[in-house]
């Protein structure tokens, strides 16, 4: 009997103004879903950091295939000259799907689009083969295989941020609501009159900081 193969896709780091956007893909035999549930796999946002790190290698062991892709801040800035963030995410998700050695019966994706089904159509435009894709809001909560992908993406983004802290000091999470992040951006800009490559310059938060600084200079 041929088992059904399902794949899940999710991202970490969509909203921050510092650091990469990381997308993960996990494919499994459908009968492995229960094992993922049993070891505690779920949406990474619902798990503590230590739990995510413990589950990271366990997810890889249970996966048929797994891949991640990191889109650094300066690449996001460059791509946003021509594409929306949703389109960029779809392009990169398609790269992950195109790498699959065994074609799954279905790919489940957490949708960033307002109309949830639009994200699946975006991804399909960049694929080298036809495949059934279902994109939904809260797919990382509703499907354990998407939760598994979110764990890979989140752990790898966290690792990237930790490396950046070693180089630049502790700037916090990189999210706009984090006061340490905003202070880091402002202080770096004041000291260097530019921002490092790790900062997304096309983000509204960063843009506002840049505008305030240079408008003040102007007047």
């Amino acid at each position: 009997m041929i088992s059904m193969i399902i794949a899940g896709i999710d991202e970490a780091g969509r909203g921050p103004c510092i650091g990469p956007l990381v997308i993960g893909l996990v494919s499994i035999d459908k009968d492995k879903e229960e094992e993922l549930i049993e070891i505690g796999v779920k949406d990474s946002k619902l798990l503590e950091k230590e739990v995510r790190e413990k589950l990271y290698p366990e997810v890889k062991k249970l996966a048929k295939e797994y891949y991640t892709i990191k889109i650094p801040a300066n690449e996001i800035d460059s791509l946003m000259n021509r594409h929306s963030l949703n389109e960029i995410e779809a392009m990169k998700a398609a790269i992950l799907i195109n790498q699959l050695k065994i074609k799954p019966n279905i790919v489940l994706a957490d949708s960033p689009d307002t109309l949830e089904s639009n994200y699946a159509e975006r991804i399909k435009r960049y694929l080298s083969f036809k495949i059934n894709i279902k994109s939904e809001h809260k797919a990382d909560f509703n499907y354990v295989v998407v939760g598994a992908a979110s764990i890979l993406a989140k752990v790898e983004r966290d690792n990237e941020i930790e490396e950046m802290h070693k180089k630049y000091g502790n700037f916090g999470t990189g999210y706009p609501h984090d006061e340490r992040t905003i202070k880091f951006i402002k202080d770096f800009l004041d000291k260097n009159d530019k921002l490092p490559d790790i900062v997304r310059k096309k983000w509204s938060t960063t843009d506002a900081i840049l505008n305030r600084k240079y408008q003040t200079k102007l007047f």
Side-chain angles (χ1 to χ4, degrees):
M1 181 177 175
I2 300 173
S3 62
M4 182 178 181
I5 299 172
I6 60 175
I9 296 179
D10 199 14
E11 53 73 26
R14 180 180 168 84
C17 44
I18 296 180
L21 169 62
V22 183
I23 304 173
L25 179 150
V26 171
S27 82
I28 60 167
D29 289 319
K30 185 164 174 56
D31 57 17
K32 295 282 186 183
E33 280 185 304
E34 283 302 317
E35 289 185 59
L36 288 176
I37 293 168
E38 285 170 9
I39 64 173
V41 170
K42 59 178 73 173
D43 177 7
S44 63
K45 294 188 289 295
L46 303 176
L47 299 170
E48 296 294 329
K49 184 176 187 290
E50 295 76 15
V51 178
R52 291 194 299 264
E53 289 175 348
K54 181 182 176 184
L55 288 171
Y56 180 82
E58 297 302 316
V59 166
K60 288 185 171 183
K61 284 180 189 175
L62 289 170
K64 201 166 192 72
E65 295 181 65
Y66 58 86
Y67 302 101
T68 57
I69 191 166
K70 301 179 182 74
I71 312 135
N74 56 353
E75 184 180 356
I76 293 171
D77 285 338
S78 176
L79 288 169
M80 286 186 72
N81 288 321
R82 305 181 301 281
H83 305 288
S84 69
L85 187 60
N86 289 1
E87 193 72 14
I88 294 166
E89 200 173 319
M91 291 162 61
K92 299 298 183 176
I95 290 173
L96 295 178
I97 296 171
N98 283 332
Q99 288 184 69
L100 287 167
K101 297 175 180 67
I102 301 172
K103 185 176 172 182
N105 297 88
I106 188 168
V107 176
L108 302 163
D110 193 44
S111 177
D113 275 284
T114 304
L115 181 60
E116 56 189 358
S117 60
N118 279 359
Y119 186 55
E121 297 308 311
R122 288 182 191 272
I123 294 172
K124 287 176 183 177
R125 290 200 290 266
Y126 301 99
L127 293 178
S128 58
F129 53 84
K130 290 185 178 180
I131 196 167
N132 184 18
I133 302 177
K134 185 178 183 182
S135 56
E136 289 185 10
H137 298 151
K138 298 186 178 178
D140 47 2
F141 180 81
N142 294 325
Y143 302 102
V144 68
V145 70
V146 183
S150 79
I151 289 170
L152 296 195
K154 177 62 175 166
V155 170
E156 294 196 12
R157 175 177 155 82
D158 285 349
N159 291 342
E160 291 282 315
I161 295 300
E162 285 176 14
E163 289 301 310
M164 290 173 185
H165 284 168
K166 291 175 186 176
K167 182 175 180 179
Y168 294 97
N170 190 347
F171 52 74
T173 61
Y175 281 81
H177 59 73
D178 191 330
E179 291 180 4
R180 295 168 298 174
T181 297
I182 300 305
K183 184 177 186 304
F184 167 79
I185 293 173
K186 288 179 177 177
D187 289 350
F188 194 100
L189 185 60
D190 286 341
K191 184 177 179 180
N192 301 281
D193 209 34
K194 64 177 183 178
L195 291 174
D197 285 344
I198 63 169
V199 175
R200 302 180 192 179
K201 299 166 187 68
K202 291 195 176 292
W203 246 233
S204 58
T205 303
T206 313
D207 191 49
I209 293 170
L210 288 165
N211 283 337
R212 276 197 298 271
K213 178 177 175 63
Y214 293 114
Q215 282 176 359
T216 301
K217 272 190 172 184
L218 187 64
F219 292 105

